[in-house]
Amino acid sequence: MSTVLQGYRFALDPSPSQESALRSHCGGQRFAFNWGLALVKANLDQRRAEASYGFDVELLTPSLGWSAYSLRTQWNRSKGEVAPWWAENSKEAYSSGLANLAAALANWNDSRNGKRKGPRVRFPRFKGKRAGLSCRFTTGAFGLAEGDRRHVKLPRIGAVRTHESTRKLAR
């Protein structure tokens, strides 16, 4: 028996304060992605430098895990130092950035090792402020507003108006 998942897309119509909060969440996702990428890149560069000096494999700096779980664990250990403002946004913003990084690193590694079909995938690049804004909410207090087909609830932001009815999702 297979499970069928279906996604829906709705255009949001946020108030100015909600738009600011959404932009902050998108910036938090980008920050977490870039922070994790810098951490992975520094680790790879350190290991490459040590190997060039002839260090044995067991003496190299320990490698970092690239899974979303491992990256999130590293983030939770250091978020207070690197992002003292982290509590302003939902944890989902940072988790989605790290999940995107984990997927990008897995795609690059699989491409490099011949496990991925198609053209070679390059190493992930840092995201700039001018890149498209995006953020995912996968857990927590999100969903349809009670008894209202024109609003969705988002963590830390509240009820945000949608341009169209969410009736098909409610069914």
Side-chain angles (χ1 to χ4, degrees):
M1 183 170 122
S2 65
T3 303
V4 176
L5 297 176
Q6 185 170 359
Y8 293 92
R9 251 188 182 167
F10 296 100
L12 300 179
D13 186 18
S15 68
S17 64
Q18 290 173 331
E19 183 175 351
S20 176
L22 285 167
R23 287 183 181 280
S24 179
H25 279 72
C26 293
Q29 177 180 350
R30 180 177 45 83
F31 182 87
F33 181 96
N34 288 343
W35 172 85
L37 182 56
L39 191 69
V40 167
K41 204 168 163 46
N43 181 262
L44 289 174
D45 291 345
Q46 179 68 31
R47 289 175 57 83
R48 195 175 300 119
E50 290 170 354
S52 72
Y53 289 124
F55 285 24
D56 290 333
V57 173
E58 55 276 347
L59 296 177
L60 295 178
T61 300
S63 62
L64 287 176
W66 294 354
S67 70
Y69 178 79
S70 298
L71 292 169
R72 232 182 359 258
T73 301
Q74 290 289 335
W75 168 257
N76 286 330
R77 285 187 193 141
S78 57
K79 66 186 174 189
E81 295 171 22
V82 299
W85 41 261
W86 69 269
E88 294 173 12
N89 297 321
S90 170
K91 67 181 178 72
E92 288 296 309
Y94 310 110
S95 292
S96 62
L98 296 171
N100 289 347
L101 175 60
L105 289 168
N107 288 339
W108 168 73
N109 194 44
D110 289 349
S111 175
R112 191 177 62 146
N113 294 328
K115 294 180 186 174
R116 182 183 166 97
K117 293 181 181 178
R120 297 225 14 193
V121 175
R122 68 176 176 230
F123 190 78
R125 295 193 299 180
F126 291 99
K127 295 183 181 292
K129 286 186 178 183
R130 290 187 172 90
L133 299 175
S134 70
C135 186
R136 284 190 318 256
F137 296 96
T138 56
T139 62
F142 78 98
L144 298 176
E146 286 294 319
D148 186 0
R149 299 279 192 248
R150 297 295 294 224
H151 289 81
V152 291
K153 290 185 303 185
L154 298 176
R156 297 258 186 206
I157 297 170
V160 180
R161 183 170 168 77
T162 59
H163 280 284
E164 58 196 293
S165 173
T166 58
R167 187 172 149 259
K168 21 179 201 186
L169 179 60
R171 282 192 278 144

